[in-house]
Amino acid sequence: MQLVPYHSNYANAFYTLNIEWLETYFYVEDYDRDVLSDPEHFIIKPGGHIFFAVENETVLGTVALLKRGSHAFEITKMAVLPEARGKQVGQKLMQYCITFAKENNFQQLFLYSNTSLTNAIHIYKKYGFVKVPLEQPNPYKRSNIKMDYNFS
């Protein structure tokens, strides 16, 4: 498996994987459709990043770093192909994001999630994320937890 940066060839996989994940676990918000339909406009051009886990030309998973400030990025739009779940694809993407953040001198790395996703919350904690107050309103109706990465 290789971890690679965004290329327009992967735009459809970014959309498809995320829509499948959202429909399986929650629902698709209008904001999700906008971002997923045009990731270059909403994520890449404003200074964000999208990464893909690819094996034998199949996209197994994806994650985005959405720029939210000069050195602040939100980990978002992480999704893994259903048949690749349980194979640590998400963990490899998470570690890649953390390493990328450190190498690029990010000052803040955070994410929004939902406490019903117990496996995901466990992984976030394992990789050094800590719960912080969730601002209101928050960007996602389905989110009930915010976590920051502890760089120290």
Side-chain angles (χ1 to χ4, degrees):
M1 174 176 32
Q2 291 181 299
L3 298 176
V4 298
Y6 179 81
H7 187 280
S8 59
N9 291 349
Y10 297 132
N12 188 53
F14 183 70
Y15 180 90
T16 304
L17 286 172
N18 275 285
I19 292 293
E20 185 279 330
W21 186 90
L22 288 166
E23 288 176 342
T24 298
Y25 294 98
F26 295 101
Y27 48 87
V28 181
E29 297 179 22
D30 290 340
Y31 176 74
D32 296 316
R33 283 199 200 282
D34 291 343
V35 172
L36 296 171
S37 295
D38 195 354
E40 289 181 35
H41 173 77
F42 286 97
I43 298 172
I44 302 297
K45 286 182 182 173
H49 309 274
I50 301 173
F51 304 110
F52 296 90
V54 180
E55 186 174 70
N56 299 323
E57 299 186 29
T58 299
V59 175
L60 302 179
T62 186
V63 65
L65 293 173
L66 182 60
K67 189 171 185 173
R68 293 290 195 179
S70 62
H71 294 284
F73 288 80
E74 175 189 347
I75 293 179
T76 186
K77 305 302 180 227
M78 181 183 283
V80 175
L81 193 65
E83 52 268 30
R85 292 179 187 152
K87 298 180 180 177
Q88 299 190 336
V89 175
Q91 291 187 54
K92 288 177 179 150
L93 287 165
M94 178 63 66
Q95 184 59 61
Y96 191 85
C97 286
I98 292 167
T99 301
F100 185 86
K102 289 177 180 178
E103 289 173 351
N104 288 277
N105 301 311
F106 289 10
Q107 293 173 359
Q108 186 182 23
L109 187 62
F110 62 94
L111 58 85
Y112 296 92
S113 191
N114 188 290
T115 52
S116 69
L117 302 171
T118 55
N119 289 341
I121 301 297
H122 174 77
I123 290 168
Y124 302 149
K125 288 179 181 177
K126 174 182 170 181
Y127 281 90
F129 284 82
V130 294
K131 183 179 174 183
V132 296
L134 179 64
E135 70 270 29
Q136 294 298 331
N138 75 68
Y140 310 99
K141 293 175 189 171
R142 65 183 167 267
S143 296
N144 67 1
I145 187 171
K146 181 178 181 182
M147 302 179 84
D148 270 352
Y149 179 74
N150 184 353
F151 280 99
S152 55

